[in-house]
Amino acid sequence: MLRPSSLLTFVVVCVCLLWGTAEASLGDRLPEFRECVEVCARENCDPNNNPTPIPLHHRLLFWTCPQECDYTCQHIITKQRLEAGQPITQFHGKWPFIRVLGMQEPFSVLFSLGNLVAHQNGLAKVRQAIPASYPLRRYYELFAYFGIATWIFSAIFHIRDFRLTEQLDYFAAGAGVLYGMYYTPIRVFRLDKPTPRRRSFLRVWTVLCCVLYIAHVAYLKLWRWNYTYNMAANVAVGLVQNSLWSYFSWKRWTESRRAWAIWPGVAVAWLMMVMSLELLDFPPLWGALDAHSLWHLGTIGPTVLWYNFMVKDSQDNIANEVKDVKA
């Protein structure tokens, strides 16, 4: 298992590389692409000149004629570049994906739904295996609700990339990540226990996390939509909770030597490794499978493992509490 110090080093390196390798889109600035879109729109989108009809399933996803031209020209230019031995380039910050039933990024949609199912099944497992009287169960249920919301909006965004769907995706993801940081110290330091000091700290911690999220959304929505800031904020919050879970996992395993105690550390290390997929950004295989979609695929396994840990950890705590009462 990775020690916390090794994990932090790995994450910092990944973040630096992600920032250092970010590039602007080139495809939509190509003269041949702009000319293609202009000709297509002139010949197919003029309402007074028998415009080309748009298929119903595309219209249901709000595809317009100019957008159809943009999509078609992306693939025309991409084919021409490949035939000329030139590399595939991005358009509007995205690779030229092949649509499936009007969906822009089909594999990202599929794997987002896979994560959604993992959280739904995890919620059912928590409710089935952990008594309602266990004080941490409500935090685990909220974790599942945030996860479900996150992946619903992720799927919607990858179906159709609009300003609204992008914002909902980012805000839901930010809420999910921040909630992860919120409930982590509650479990690690057992802030759920009804002592005056813990309750006071929990109230302060709850208010602080709510204020942080409101400020985060307000900055992005009212001040400036900043991709670099959004990524930095999510990485910073993720670092805090991942460091705490790595500490918790290492401490519990050294104390108990129980295999399930290392599961949080395994899940964190797993997530950090699949995060490296974002460093290996490449043109989509078969026009649909890219590094970002594989990142979504890679988060399904740790989610399943995490709910298994929640159940085992809760059952172990309950068993120890019963022993203490009998003693």
Short mmCIF file of all heavy atoms in Angstrom, two decimals, residues 90-124:
data_model
loop_
_atom_site.label_atom_id
_atom_site.label_comp_id
_atom_site.label_asym_id
_atom_site.label_seq_id
_atom_site.Cartn_x
_atom_site.Cartn_y
_atom_site.Cartn_z
N GLN A 90 -8.02 18.56 -32.01
CA GLN A 90 -9.27 18.80 -31.31
C GLN A 90 -10.03 19.96 -31.94
O GLN A 90 -9.44 20.84 -32.57
CB GLN A 90 -9.02 19.08 -29.84
CG GLN A 90 -8.47 17.89 -29.07
CD GLN A 90 -8.36 18.16 -27.58
OE1 GLN A 90 -8.48 19.31 -27.12
NE2 GLN A 90 -8.15 17.11 -26.79
N PHE A 91 -11.34 19.95 -31.74
CA PHE A 91 -12.22 21.04 -32.17
C PHE A 91 -13.01 21.51 -30.96
O PHE A 91 -13.63 20.69 -30.27
CB PHE A 91 -13.18 20.56 -33.27
CG PHE A 91 -12.50 20.11 -34.53
CD1 PHE A 91 -12.01 18.81 -34.63
CD2 PHE A 91 -12.34 20.96 -35.61
CE1 PHE A 91 -11.38 18.37 -35.80
CE2 PHE A 91 -11.71 20.54 -36.78
CZ PHE A 91 -11.23 19.24 -36.86
N HIS A 92 -12.97 22.81 -30.70
CA HIS A 92 -13.70 23.38 -29.55
C HIS A 92 -13.30 22.70 -28.25
O HIS A 92 -14.13 22.49 -27.36
CB HIS A 92 -15.21 23.28 -29.76
CG HIS A 92 -15.68 23.71 -31.11
ND1 HIS A 92 -15.53 25.00 -31.58
CD2 HIS A 92 -16.28 23.01 -32.12
CE1 HIS A 92 -16.02 25.08 -32.80
NE2 HIS A 92 -16.47 23.89 -33.15
N GLY A 93 -12.04 22.31 -28.13
CA GLY A 93 -11.55 21.69 -26.91
C GLY A 93 -11.87 20.23 -26.74
O GLY A 93 -11.60 19.65 -25.68
N LYS A 94 -12.42 19.60 -27.78
CA LYS A 94 -12.79 18.18 -27.70
C LYS A 94 -12.29 17.43 -28.93
O LYS A 94 -12.16 18.01 -30.01
CB LYS A 94 -14.31 18.01 -27.58
CG LYS A 94 -14.90 18.49 -26.27
CD LYS A 94 -16.40 18.27 -26.26
CE LYS A 94 -17.01 18.66 -24.93
NZ LYS A 94 -16.65 17.73 -23.85
N TRP A 95 -12.06 16.14 -28.75
CA TRP A 95 -11.71 15.32 -29.90
C TRP A 95 -12.93 15.13 -30.79
O TRP A 95 -14.07 15.23 -30.32
CB TRP A 95 -11.21 13.95 -29.42
CG TRP A 95 -9.92 13.98 -28.68
CD1 TRP A 95 -9.74 13.74 -27.34
CD2 TRP A 95 -8.62 14.28 -29.21
NE1 TRP A 95 -8.42 13.87 -27.01
CE2 TRP A 95 -7.70 14.20 -28.14
CE3 TRP A 95 -8.15 14.60 -30.49
CZ2 TRP A 95 -6.34 14.43 -28.30
CZ3 TRP A 95 -6.79 14.83 -30.65
CH2 TRP A 95 -5.90 14.74 -29.58
N PRO A 96 -12.74 14.85 -32.07
CA PRO A 96 -13.88 14.62 -32.98
C PRO A 96 -14.49 13.23 -32.76
O PRO A 96 -14.14 12.26 -33.43
CB PRO A 96 -13.25 14.75 -34.37
CG PRO A 96 -11.82 14.37 -34.18
CD PRO A 96 -11.45 14.85 -32.80
N PHE A 97 -15.39 13.14 -31.80
CA PHE A 97 -16.04 11.87 -31.47
C PHE A 97 -17.10 11.52 -32.52
O PHE A 97 -17.70 12.40 -33.14
CB PHE A 97 -16.72 11.94 -30.10
CG PHE A 97 -15.76 12.03 -28.95
CD1 PHE A 97 -15.43 13.27 -28.41
CD2 PHE A 97 -15.20 10.90 -28.41
CE1 PHE A 97 -14.55 13.36 -27.35
CE2 PHE A 97 -14.31 10.98 -27.34
CZ PHE A 97 -13.99 12.22 -26.81
N ILE A 98 -17.32 10.23 -32.67
CA ILE A 98 -18.43 9.75 -33.49
C ILE A 98 -19.66 9.66 -32.60
O ILE A 98 -19.65 9.00 -31.56
CB ILE A 98 -18.12 8.38 -34.11
CG1 ILE A 98 -16.95 8.51 -35.09
CG2 ILE A 98 -19.34 7.79 -34.80
CD1 ILE A 98 -16.49 7.19 -35.67
N ARG A 99 -20.72 10.31 -33.00
CA ARG A 99 -21.95 10.29 -32.20
C ARG A 99 -22.62 8.92 -32.26
O ARG A 99 -22.54 8.21 -33.26
CB ARG A 99 -22.93 11.35 -32.71
CG ARG A 99 -22.49 12.76 -32.53
CD ARG A 99 -23.52 13.74 -33.04
NE ARG A 99 -23.87 13.53 -34.44
CZ ARG A 99 -24.54 14.40 -35.19
NH1 ARG A 99 -24.95 15.55 -34.66
NH2 ARG A 99 -24.80 14.15 -36.45
N VAL A 100 -23.31 8.60 -31.19
CA VAL A 100 -24.15 7.40 -31.14
C VAL A 100 -25.52 7.84 -30.65
O VAL A 100 -25.65 8.34 -29.53
CB VAL A 100 -23.56 6.32 -30.21
CG1 VAL A 100 -24.51 5.14 -30.09
CG2 VAL A 100 -22.20 5.86 -30.72
N LEU A 101 -26.52 7.70 -31.50
CA LEU A 101 -27.88 8.14 -31.18
C LEU A 101 -27.91 9.61 -30.75
O LEU A 101 -28.70 10.01 -29.91
CB LEU A 101 -28.48 7.26 -30.09
CG LEU A 101 -28.60 5.76 -30.41
CD1 LEU A 101 -29.14 4.99 -29.20
CD2 LEU A 101 -29.49 5.54 -31.63
N GLY A 102 -27.03 10.39 -31.33
CA GLY A 102 -26.98 11.81 -31.02
C GLY A 102 -26.13 12.16 -29.82
O GLY A 102 -25.94 13.35 -29.53
N MET A 103 -25.59 11.16 -29.11
CA MET A 103 -24.76 11.42 -27.94
C MET A 103 -23.35 11.78 -28.38
O MET A 103 -22.75 11.08 -29.19
CB MET A 103 -24.73 10.19 -27.02
CG MET A 103 -26.07 9.86 -26.40
SD MET A 103 -25.97 8.47 -25.24
CE MET A 103 -25.57 7.11 -26.36
N GLN A 104 -22.79 12.84 -27.82
CA GLN A 104 -21.50 13.34 -28.25
C GLN A 104 -20.34 12.43 -27.83
O GLN A 104 -19.41 12.23 -28.59
CB GLN A 104 -21.26 14.75 -27.69
CG GLN A 104 -22.09 15.82 -28.39
CD GLN A 104 -21.82 17.20 -27.82
OE1 GLN A 104 -22.44 17.60 -26.86
NE2 GLN A 104 -20.90 17.93 -28.41
N GLU A 105 -20.36 11.93 -26.60
CA GLU A 105 -19.27 11.11 -26.08
C GLU A 105 -19.87 9.83 -25.50
O GLU A 105 -20.06 9.70 -24.29
CB GLU A 105 -18.48 11.88 -25.03
CG GLU A 105 -17.86 13.17 -25.56
CD GLU A 105 -17.17 13.97 -24.48
OE1 GLU A 105 -16.30 13.41 -23.79
OE2 GLU A 105 -17.51 15.16 -24.32
N PRO A 106 -20.16 8.85 -26.36
CA PRO A 106 -20.94 7.67 -25.94
C PRO A 106 -20.30 6.85 -24.82
O PRO A 106 -21.00 6.40 -23.91
CB PRO A 106 -21.08 6.86 -27.23
CG PRO A 106 -20.01 7.38 -28.14
CD PRO A 106 -19.83 8.81 -27.79
N PHE A 107 -18.98 6.65 -24.86
CA PHE A 107 -18.37 5.83 -23.81
C PHE A 107 -18.32 6.55 -22.48
O PHE A 107 -18.45 5.93 -21.41
CB PHE A 107 -16.97 5.38 -24.23
CG PHE A 107 -16.96 4.15 -25.09
CD1 PHE A 107 -16.73 4.24 -26.45
CD2 PHE A 107 -17.23 2.91 -24.54
CE1 PHE A 107 -16.74 3.11 -27.25
CE2 PHE A 107 -17.24 1.76 -25.32
CZ PHE A 107 -17.00 1.86 -26.69
N SER A 108 -18.14 7.86 -22.50
CA SER A 108 -18.19 8.62 -21.25
C SER A 108 -19.59 8.56 -20.65
O SER A 108 -19.74 8.50 -19.42
CB SER A 108 -17.79 10.08 -21.50
OG SER A 108 -16.39 10.19 -21.73
N VAL A 109 -20.60 8.55 -21.50
CA VAL A 109 -21.98 8.40 -21.01
C VAL A 109 -22.16 7.02 -20.39
O VAL A 109 -22.68 6.87 -19.28
CB VAL A 109 -22.99 8.59 -22.16
CG1 VAL A 109 -24.41 8.27 -21.69
CG2 VAL A 109 -22.93 10.01 -22.70
N LEU A 110 -21.71 5.98 -21.10
CA LEU A 110 -21.85 4.61 -20.62
C LEU A 110 -21.15 4.41 -19.28
O LEU A 110 -21.72 3.85 -18.34
CB LEU A 110 -21.28 3.65 -21.66
CG LEU A 110 -21.28 2.16 -21.29
CD1 LEU A 110 -22.70 1.66 -21.10
CD2 LEU A 110 -20.55 1.34 -22.35
N PHE A 111 -19.92 4.89 -19.16
CA PHE A 111 -19.17 4.68 -17.93
C PHE A 111 -19.67 5.57 -16.81
O PHE A 111 -19.54 5.21 -15.62
CB PHE A 111 -17.68 4.89 -18.18
CG PHE A 111 -17.09 3.93 -19.19
CD1 PHE A 111 -16.07 4.32 -20.04
CD2 PHE A 111 -17.59 2.64 -19.31
CE1 PHE A 111 -15.54 3.43 -20.98
CE2 PHE A 111 -17.07 1.74 -20.24
CZ PHE A 111 -16.04 2.15 -21.07
N SER A 112 -20.23 6.73 -17.13
CA SER A 112 -20.87 7.55 -16.10
C SER A 112 -22.07 6.81 -15.52
O SER A 112 -22.29 6.80 -14.29
CB SER A 112 -21.33 8.89 -16.68
OG SER A 112 -20.23 9.70 -17.04
N LEU A 113 -22.83 6.16 -16.38
CA LEU A 113 -23.96 5.36 -15.91
C LEU A 113 -23.49 4.16 -15.09
O LEU A 113 -24.15 3.73 -14.15
CB LEU A 113 -24.81 4.90 -17.10
CG LEU A 113 -25.51 6.02 -17.87
CD1 LEU A 113 -26.26 5.45 -19.08
CD2 LEU A 113 -26.48 6.79 -16.98
N GLY A 114 -22.32 3.62 -15.45
CA GLY A 114 -21.74 2.54 -14.67
C GLY A 114 -21.42 2.98 -13.25
O GLY A 114 -21.67 2.26 -12.28
N ASN A 115 -20.87 4.19 -13.11
CA ASN A 115 -20.62 4.74 -11.77
C ASN A 115 -21.92 5.00 -11.03
O ASN A 115 -22.00 4.79 -9.81
CB ASN A 115 -19.83 6.04 -11.90
CG ASN A 115 -18.35 5.81 -12.10
OD1 ASN A 115 -17.60 5.57 -11.17
ND2 ASN A 115 -17.91 5.90 -13.36
N LEU A 116 -22.93 5.46 -11.76
CA LEU A 116 -24.24 5.68 -11.15
C LEU A 116 -24.79 4.39 -10.56
O LEU A 116 -25.27 4.36 -9.42
CB LEU A 116 -25.20 6.24 -12.21
CG LEU A 116 -26.68 6.29 -11.86
CD1 LEU A 116 -26.93 7.19 -10.66
CD2 LEU A 116 -27.50 6.77 -13.06
N VAL A 117 -24.71 3.30 -11.32
CA VAL A 117 -25.19 2.01 -10.84
C VAL A 117 -24.38 1.55 -9.62
O VAL A 117 -24.93 1.00 -8.66
CB VAL A 117 -25.12 0.95 -11.96
CG1 VAL A 117 -25.40 -0.44 -11.42
CG2 VAL A 117 -26.11 1.29 -13.07
N ALA A 118 -23.07 1.80 -9.64
CA ALA A 118 -22.23 1.42 -8.50
C ALA A 118 -22.68 2.13 -7.23
O ALA A 118 -22.72 1.52 -6.14
CB ALA A 118 -20.77 1.74 -8.80
N HIS A 119 -23.03 3.40 -7.33
CA HIS A 119 -23.51 4.14 -6.16
C HIS A 119 -24.90 3.68 -5.74
O HIS A 119 -25.18 3.59 -4.53
CB HIS A 119 -23.52 5.64 -6.45
CG HIS A 119 -22.17 6.28 -6.32
ND1 HIS A 119 -21.61 6.60 -5.10
CD2 HIS A 119 -21.27 6.67 -7.26
CE1 HIS A 119 -20.42 7.16 -5.29
NE2 HIS A 119 -20.19 7.22 -6.59
N GLN A 120 -25.76 3.39 -6.70
CA GLN A 120 -27.10 2.89 -6.36
C GLN A 120 -27.00 1.55 -5.63
O GLN A 120 -27.68 1.33 -4.62
CB GLN A 120 -27.94 2.74 -7.62
CG GLN A 120 -28.41 4.06 -8.21
CD GLN A 120 -29.24 3.88 -9.47
OE1 GLN A 120 -28.96 3.00 -10.29
NE2 GLN A 120 -30.26 4.70 -9.62
N ASN A 121 -26.18 0.65 -6.15
CA ASN A 121 -26.00 -0.64 -5.49
C ASN A 121 -25.34 -0.48 -4.12
O ASN A 121 -25.67 -1.20 -3.18
CB ASN A 121 -25.15 -1.56 -6.37
CG ASN A 121 -25.87 -1.99 -7.64
OD1 ASN A 121 -27.09 -1.90 -7.73
ND2 ASN A 121 -25.12 -2.45 -8.62
N GLY A 122 -24.40 0.47 -4.03
CA GLY A 122 -23.75 0.73 -2.76
C GLY A 122 -24.74 1.24 -1.72
O GLY A 122 -24.69 0.85 -0.55
N LEU A 123 -25.65 2.12 -2.15
CA LEU A 123 -26.68 2.63 -1.24
C LEU A 123 -27.55 1.49 -0.73
O LEU A 123 -27.86 1.42 0.47
CB LEU A 123 -27.53 3.68 -1.96
CG LEU A 123 -28.70 4.26 -1.18
CD1 LEU A 123 -28.22 4.96 0.09
CD2 LEU A 123 -29.50 5.23 -2.05
N ALA A 124 -27.95 0.60 -1.63
CA ALA A 124 -28.77 -0.55 -1.23
C ALA A 124 -28.00 -1.44 -0.24
O ALA A 124 -28.58 -1.94 0.74
CB ALA A 124 -29.17 -1.36 -2.46
#
